[in-house]
């Protein structure tokens, strides 16, 4: 049961690097973690950003009989403190399997809609170090390929529009509850957190047993190592994409032949996994072992193969990647902000009711005027799988290209990162987006956008504290890294 706040302000340094100029949405369920986040945010806004908007949003998933009552309790809790609050409900049928993942997807979608409606570009969640350890252990149990062992990123770009930041990711839940208890504040206990039908509660229950603390520390250390490794290989893969890849015509990516034999084979495999997924419109990176085998074959000479819905056509003049002409989307009416084939984001405001988006097709592709820079057969095959605007069975042209005056566009999207882009993957995502013609990444939510260095600063901050076993940051005083930065000479 939520109770009134009876204690004085609790100083902290959690949010000093974040840019709240557009305000912030706090995801608040009423549990201890999100309640602590909300109160710490309110304290921060009262002290340093009194003009900024703070909106608390509670998502009612409609999965338990008491969920609506609990959402109203959060609303009352916020009203007592002068915090704007909104309840959003997840409507529609709920899946019989994969319910936690579906609920998570719906939750972030609703939070992003609430932020967008208010012109807010930043969402904060109350994920803690305990949540991180659970995530790592769950992924480890699935024989994760190593990327997932980095756990949750300190920040994630949702839908290529809205930043989701997890400022409590290095803080233990016990520390947050101690803070709430010191302020005489209660919280709601969600019964699904102990429901053994779901994986996370089962992992949580095991961690509450004898050697749980040791396993948490080991999981957090593993997360730290995996995060560093993921950022490092991502940086190296981005360099290879920048150096060896170009886009000679719509839908066609060309890699220089020297890419296959590059001395950094590990980064080349990683870059290839990203590019295959992006070209093929796949949410998950291509299989690592199959990519390694493919790269070995590419070193030997010409070949034509398909992986992750992407045709790999290696010739003397280059290694060409294009979407295969199978399992393409059926014709459909354009819907604004809808992903088409996971490769393009449709922008559509208004127009005749008979407009549809469909692949251009080989017949129309044969009529297109193409560059002489690459073989015509390759360009036409790639073009045939690209989205086009149709009306009454007549092709009006490329969506957003020569579609006349129709108010529609199909902007390239980076499939593996289009919905969720973890800050670990910023550098390869930015390189791939530039290659594919996708929009540039929105500026990170830090004071003074610094070309991406802010992500490395945030990631280092989290990883540093996890390595020490500290809470992030140390509640009530500056974090060790903040103190170290203040002592560092200018320019370091």
């Amino acid at each position: 049961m939520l109770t009134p706040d009876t204690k004085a302000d609790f100083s902290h340094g959690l949010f000093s690097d974040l840019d709240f100029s557009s305000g912030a949405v706090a995801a608040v369920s009423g549990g201890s973690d999100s309640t602590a986040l909300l109160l710490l945010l309110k304290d921060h806004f009262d002290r340093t950003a009194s003009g900024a908007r703070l909106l608390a949003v509670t998502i009612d998933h409609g999965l338990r009989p008491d969920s609506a009552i609990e959402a109203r309790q959060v609303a009352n809790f916020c009203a007592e403190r002068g915090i704007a609050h909104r309840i959003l409900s997840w409507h529609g049928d709920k899946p019989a399997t994969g319910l936690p993942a579906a609920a998570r997807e719906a939750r972030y979608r609703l939070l992003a809609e609430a932020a967008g409606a208010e012109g807010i570009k930043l969402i904060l969640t109350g994920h803690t170090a305990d949540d991180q350890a659970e995530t790592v252990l769950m992924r480890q149990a699935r024989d994760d390929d190593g990327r997932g062992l980095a756990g949750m990123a300190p920040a994630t770009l949702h839908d290529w529009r809205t930043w989701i930041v997890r400022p409590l990711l290095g803080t233990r839940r016990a520390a947050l509850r101690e803070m709430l208890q010191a302020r005489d504040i209660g919280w709601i206990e969600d019964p699904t957190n102990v429901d053994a039908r779901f994986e996370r509660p089962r992992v949580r229950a095991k961690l509450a047993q004898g050697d749980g603390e040791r396993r948490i520390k080991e999981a957090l250390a593993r997360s730290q190592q995996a995060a560093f490794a993921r950022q490092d290989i991502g940086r190296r893969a981005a360099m290879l994409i920048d150096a060896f890849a170009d886009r000679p015509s719509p839908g066609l990516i060309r890699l220089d032949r020297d890419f296959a034999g590059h001395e950094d084979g590990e980064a080349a495999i990683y870059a290839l996994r990203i590019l295959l997924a992006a070209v093929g419109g796949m949410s998950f990176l291509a299989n690592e072992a199959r990519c390694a085998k493919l790269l070995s074959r590419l070193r030997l000479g010409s070949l034509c193969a398909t992986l992750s819905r992407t045709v790999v056509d290696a010739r003397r003049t280059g290694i060409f990647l294009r979407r295969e002409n199978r399992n393409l989307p059926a014709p459909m009416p354009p819907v604004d902000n809808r992903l088409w084939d996971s490769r393009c984001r449709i922008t559509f405001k208004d127009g005749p009711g008979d407009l549809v988006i469909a692949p251009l097709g080989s017949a129309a592709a044969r009529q297109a005027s193409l560059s002489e820079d690459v073989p015509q057969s390759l360009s036409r095959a790639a073009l045939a799988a690209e989205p086009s605007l149709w009306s009454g069975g007549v092709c009006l042209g490329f969506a957003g290209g020569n579609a006349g005056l129709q108010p529609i566009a199909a902007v390239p999207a980076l499939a593996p990162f289009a919905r969720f882009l973890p800050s670990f993957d910023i550098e390869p995502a930015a390189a791939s987006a530039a290659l594919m013609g996708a929009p540039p990444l929105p500026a990170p939510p830090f004071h003074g956008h610094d070309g991406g260095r802010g992500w490395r600063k945030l990631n280092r901050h989290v990883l540093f504290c996890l390595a020490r076993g500290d809470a992030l940051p140390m509640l009530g005083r500056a974090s060790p890294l903040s103190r170290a930065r203040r002592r560092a000479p200018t320019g370091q």
Side-chain angles (χ1 to χ4, degrees), residues 41-365:
L41 264 175
K42 179 66 164 57
D43 291 347
H44 179 78
F45 274 44
D46 287 345
R47 287 196 314 275
T48 65
S50 58
R53 290 173 297 166
L54 174 59
L55 173 64
V57 175
T58 301
I59 307 300
D60 179 4
H61 295 90
L63 299 176
R64 296 183 292 105
D66 294 335
S67 62
I69 296 173
E70 292 168 356
R72 288 195 295 272
Q73 287 180 338
V74 177
N76 293 335
F77 181 81
C78 291
E80 292 170 357
R81 289 157 181 78
I83 302 172
H85 180 263
R86 183 175 301 169
I87 299 172
L88 299 178
S89 299
W90 180 25
H91 297 295
D93 296 334
K94 308 302 189 291
T97 59
L99 183 59
R104 182 168 55 251
E105 175 74 22
R107 179 164 60 253
Y108 285 125
R109 173 178 56 80
L110 291 169
L111 287 168
E113 289 175 1
E118 299 292 333
I120 295 174
K121 300 177 181 178
L122 181 60
I123 297 169
L124 287 86
T125 69
H127 293 104
T128 67
D130 298 77
D131 296 313
Q132 182 75 300
E134 294 159 8
T135 297
V136 171
L137 290 171
M138 283 160 40
R139 293 179 180 177
Q140 184 181 12
R142 301 187 198 115
D143 295 323
D144 194 276
D145 66 0
R147 292 179 74 252
L149 295 183
M152 293 179 284
T156 298
L157 181 63
H158 176 264
D159 220 17
W160 214 257
R161 294 183 175 189
T162 310
W163 294 110
I164 301 168
V165 177
R166 304 176 178 95
L168 305 180
L169 200 58
T171 304
R172 293 298 302 274
R173 179 172 293 119
L176 295 174
R177 291 188 169 187
E178 287 175 6
M179 184 270 287
L180 291 176
Q181 290 166 349
R183 296 172 72 156
D184 196 20
I185 298 173
W187 57 85
I188 296 169
E189 293 286 3
D190 184 347
T192 59
N193 287 334
V194 293
D195 190 337
R197 292 176 299 170
F198 301 113
E199 182 181 19
R200 188 175 291 274
R202 293 197 298 269
V203 172
R204 187 169 296 175
K206 289 182 180 179
L207 291 176
Q209 298 171 1
D211 64 344
E213 283 301 310
R214 175 186 60 80
R215 296 185 64 203
I216 288 173
K217 289 182 179 179
E218 289 175 351
L220 294 177
R222 192 174 302 116
S223 170
Q224 173 199 2
Q225 295 167 357
F228 275 129
R230 182 163 163 178
Q231 289 177 260
D232 179 63
I233 195 172
R235 174 188 54 79
R236 288 150 47 204
M239 293 173 62
L240 295 184
I241 292 170
D242 286 337
F244 291 101
D246 71 328
R247 184 168 56 107
S249 61
L252 189 65
I253 297 299
R254 175 175 53 193
L255 293 169
D256 190 279
R257 290 290 322 189
D258 290 339
F259 171 84
H262 194 273
E263 61 183 3
D264 191 351
E266 184 183 31
I269 292 171
Y270 194 58
L272 186 59
R273 295 178 68 194
I274 293 172
L275 293 178
L276 288 173
V279 172
M282 301 295 288
S283 299
F284 298 97
L285 301 192
N287 179 269
E288 184 175 14
R290 296 183 68 184
C291 275
K293 184 176 180 180
L294 175 61
L295 194 65
S296 297
R297 293 176 61 196
L298 288 171
R299 296 189 188 105
L300 301 177
S302 301
L303 68 83
C304 189
T306 302
L307 182 57
S308 290
R309 302 199 311 188
T310 297
V311 176
V312 181
D313 194 333
R315 306 187 178 195
R316 182 182 56 81
T317 54
I319 301 166
F320 296 90
L321 311 179
R322 63 174 175 84
R323 170 72 161 93
E324 67 172 334
N325 293 107
R326 295 192 304 163
N327 301 316
L328 290 164
M332 63 181 67
V335 178
D336 189 47
N337 200 37
R338 174 76 57 83
L339 282 175
W340 184 88
D341 198 36
S342 296
R343 297 184 294 133
C344 296
R345 191 176 300 280
I346 302 300
T347 300
F348 179 66
K349 298 303 180 184
D350 196 9
D354 64 343
L355 293 178
V356 296
I357 295 288
L360 181 65
S362 53

Side-chain angles (χ1 to χ4, degrees), residues 21 260 439 489:
S21 58

Side-chain angles (χ1 to χ4, degrees), residues 16-18 231 446-448 450 452-464 481 485:
S16 58
D17 289 333
L18 290 173
Q231 289 177 260
F446 295 98
H447 292 296
D450 58 3
R453 291 188 297 276
W455 289 119
R456 289 189 281 275
K457 176 172 65 177
L458 177 60
N459 290 336
R460 286 199 308 268
H461 194 170
V462 172
L463 298 174
F464 177 88
L481 187 60
R485 278 205 297 266

